[in-house]
Amino acid sequence: MAKEKLGVLCSGRGTDLQSIIDAIAGGKLDAEIAVVLTDKPDVMALERAAKAGIRNVCVNRKEYGDRQPFEEALVKELQAAGVTLVILAGFMRILSPYFVHLYSGRIMNIHPALLPSFGGAHAHRDALAYGVKVSGCTVHFVDEGMDSGPIILQAAVPVYDDDTEESLGARVLEQEHVIYPKAIQLYVEGRLKVEGRKVIILNEERM
Ligand code: GAR
């Protein structure tokens, strides 16, 4: 059977991308990364893709005035690469309804908090300021809202009194690198069934 073709969108360092590259190389994820796209030049994600021999393109947001032509350029690259599942991995832009409809049910995102708490761009700062004792990360399908789509997998980590954004971020990131490849593999296996807000995991392993 043809492999799921992933298009991974990143804005920066690309450690989530790396976890997907490594899971594929290690036989834990049965998919292929067809293209890595970034919205900024000179980011580590492009280097990581190049090192792994993956097609990588910067669609520089600064070269586009409105969001629509920028997203059309992204779509052109995704279509040219035959992408069937879009993976947002530290992609720090909100996608418009145009893009979300085009890939409806076929866009995943990872967010560094236990949604619906602490959505947005400063999850760790917000979690620390609130004083929560547990935080974590969430893989979800993308809908038209921000960090609001149906939740696929979550992982929790403790928050300590002396945590900084950096220390909490690092603890959460370790879990991101575990659950993102896992969530994608569940999709690849056809085991994710969306019923309204809920994602049912077929034949789920229980602890
Ligand atoms: C990750 O922590 C990811 O959850 C977060 O950006 C970081 C990217 O790290 N994404 C968001 O905040 C999306 N709202 P990476 O570039 O090393 O993969």
Side-chain angles (χ1 to χ4, degrees):
M1 222 173 75
K3 283 190 197 286
E4 201 76 43
K5 288 193 168 195
L6 313 181
V8 185
L9 274 55
C10 306
S11 294
R13 132 193 98 152
T15 66
D16 283 329
L17 162 68
Q18 190 67 53
S19 74
I20 297 165
I21 293 173
D22 293 347
I24 293 172
K28 288 186 177 164
L29 173 54
D30 188 21
E32 171 196 337
I33 303 179
V35 69
V36 169
L37 301 177
T38 69
D39 59 337
K40 288 184 198 145
D42 306 322
V43 291
M44 278 276 288
L46 291 169
E47 281 175 41
R48 291 176 191 275
K51 200 170 162 206
I54 298 165
R55 178 175 163 74
N56 58 95
V57 182
C58 168
V59 179
N60 192 345
R61 179 67 183 87
K62 285 202 172 137
E63 289 173 10
Y64 298 84
D66 293 333
R67 183 161 63 170
Q68 180 79 15
F70 165 68
E71 290 191 350
E72 282 171 3
L74 290 177
V75 168
K76 204 171 148 201
E77 290 293 343
L78 294 171
Q79 287 178 342
V83 165
T84 51
L85 179 65
V86 177
I87 300 295
L88 308 183
F91 187 65
M92 303 310 271
R93 301 206 172 266
I94 310 272
L95 293 165
S96 75
Y98 152 75
F99 189 101
V100 173
H101 285 160
L102 211 56
Y103 287 95
S104 176
R106 296 184 294 137
I107 312 173
M108 280 187 198
N109 181 43
I110 189 153
H111 181 76
L114 293 174
L115 293 172
S117 291
F118 312 121
H122 306 289
H124 303 310
R125 190 192 302 172
D126 295 345
L128 289 172
Y130 200 91
V132 291
K133 300 295 186 193
V134 173
S135 191
C137 49
T138 303
V139 180
H140 63 93
F141 284 115
V142 172
D143 64 10
E144 286 181 21
M146 189 177 64
D147 301 325
S148 59
I151 291 172
I152 302 167
L153 288 180
Q154 292 185 302
V157 303
V159 179
Y160 300 122
D161 293 341
D162 58 354
D163 262 329
T164 60
E165 281 184 55
E166 288 68 35
S167 63
L168 176 58
R171 198 174 304 122
V172 169
L173 204 56
E174 261 182 51
Q175 294 305 313
E176 293 188 33
H177 298 162
V178 175
I179 68 168
Y180 214 178
K182 246 189 208 172
I184 300 167
Q185 178 62 18
L186 287 170
Y187 179 95
V188 165
E189 290 174 9
R191 290 172 58 196
L192 301 178
K193 192 167 155 228
V194 181
E195 289 183 359
R197 270 222 57 85
K198 284 195 185 169
V199 179
I200 311 293
I201 300 178
L202 304 173
N203 304 315
E204 186 178 24
E205 284 169 34
R206 304 219 167 165
M207 296 207 294

